[in-house]
């Protein structure tokens, strides 16, 4: 029997070590690179620290749950944002877990409210969109805007879309140790 991880940060580092080198569905970066790039773009945007942590961990749902690694095999949506935010809510304040929960709806929200958004999606993201339900209807847009963290979720979504750059140099996971620990519960 293995001992429990010493801290949430250790737990996260172990998860990335175990699963993070896998390809980010249909993209030319790994899961770890994608996470680091999303956090990097959040930092460039001078985002508040809790949102940098949310960007870093927005796809943790893909790493804690087994899902097909080839998006062509996705016959149902794995709802990684629900799995991830549930995992995060047990360890972090809502400022971190809530934008993660809403980052996939945020894609559908942006498609309904920003005419230029579709052009920013990668081919893989266009494929998953069909499983995720397509653009929001007007009543869904109105409901989404009642979410306390919807604006933060939209920001995370943009960094998520940006974080697919082959070979981009970023900080490494351990550089975020102090930041992560700031928002654990
Ligand atoms: Fe992502």
């Amino acid at each position: 029997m293995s001992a429990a991880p010493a801290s949430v940060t250790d737990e996260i580092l172990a998860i990335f070590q175990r699963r993070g080198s896998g390809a980010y569905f249909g993209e030319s970066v790994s899961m770890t690179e994608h996470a680091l790039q999303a956090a990097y773009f959040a930092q460039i945007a001078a985002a508040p620290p809790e949102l940098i942590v949310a960007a870093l961990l927005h796809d943790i749902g893909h790493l804690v749950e087994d899902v097909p690694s080839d998006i062509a095999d996705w016959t149902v949506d794995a709802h990684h944002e629900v799995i991830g935010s549930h995992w995060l809510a047990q360890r972090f304040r809502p400022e971190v877990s809530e934008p993660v929960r809403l980052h996939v709806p945020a894609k559908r929200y942006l498609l309904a409210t920003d005419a230029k958004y579709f052009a920013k999606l990668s081919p893989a993201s266009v494929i998953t969109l069909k499983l995720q339900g397509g653009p929001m209807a007007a009543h869904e847009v109105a409901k989404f805007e009642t979410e306390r963290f919807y604006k933060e979720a939209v920001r995370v979504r943009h960094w998520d879309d940006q974080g697919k750059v082959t070979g981009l140099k970023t900080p490494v996971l351990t550089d975020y140790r102090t930041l992560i620990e700031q928002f654990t519960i």
Side-chain angles (χ1 to χ4, degrees):
M1 214 166 78
S2 61
S7 69
V8 171
T9 321
D10 288 335
E11 196 180 1
I12 287 167
L13 292 176
I15 287 167
F16 273 100
Q17 197 151 36
R18 196 161 62 235
R19 300 284 305 277
S21 60
Y24 182 56
F25 313 100
E27 312 288 351
S28 60
V29 291
S30 71
M31 295 296 301
T32 300
E33 286 170 324
H34 174 63
L36 290 171
Q37 289 188 18
Y40 172 78
F41 286 116
Q43 281 177 302
I44 287 190
E50 65 275 19
L51 223 43
I52 295 169
V53 176
L56 181 72
L57 302 177
H58 78 275
D59 276 339
I60 195 89
H62 280 315
L63 301 176
V64 296
E65 183 101 331
D66 280 315
V67 291
S69 59
D70 186 341
I71 54 159
D73 295 337
W74 284 27
T75 50
V76 290
D77 182 28
H79 287 293
H80 74 280
E81 76 281 13
V82 177
I83 295 161
S85 64
H86 183 75
W87 192 91
L88 290 170
Q90 294 169 324
R91 295 162 176 85
F92 287 91
R93 306 219 303 252
E95 285 80 355
V96 173
S97 61
E98 280 295 281
V100 172
R101 181 175 67 84
L102 297 169
H103 88 277
V104 174
K107 172 175 162 184
R108 299 185 55 229
Y109 172 79
L110 281 165
L111 284 161
T113 56
D114 180 352
K116 294 191 188 113
Y117 182 67
F118 184 79
K120 294 175 189 164
L121 291 179
S122 67
S125 199
V126 172
I127 293 173
T128 53
L129 175 65
K130 292 194 184 105
L131 297 170
Q132 289 158 346
M136 279 185 176
H139 72 277
E140 292 175 297
V141 166
K143 185 165 181 283
F144 187 73
E145 288 176 348
T146 66
E147 292 282 356
R148 181 175 163 205
F149 292 102
Y150 89 91
K151 285 185 179 153
E152 287 78 5
V154 165
R155 298 190 76 189
V156 169
R157 182 72 230 178
H158 282 304
W159 304 321
D160 180 6
D161 293 326
Q162 282 178 279
K164 300 169 178 179
V165 185
T166 311
L168 182 72
K169 189 129 176 55
T170 66
V172 295
L173 273 172
T174 46
D175 292 332
Y176 291 98
R177 186 180 274 277
T178 313
L179 204 65
I180 290 169
E181 277 160 13
Q182 240 179 290
F183 299 100
T184 54
I185 49 177

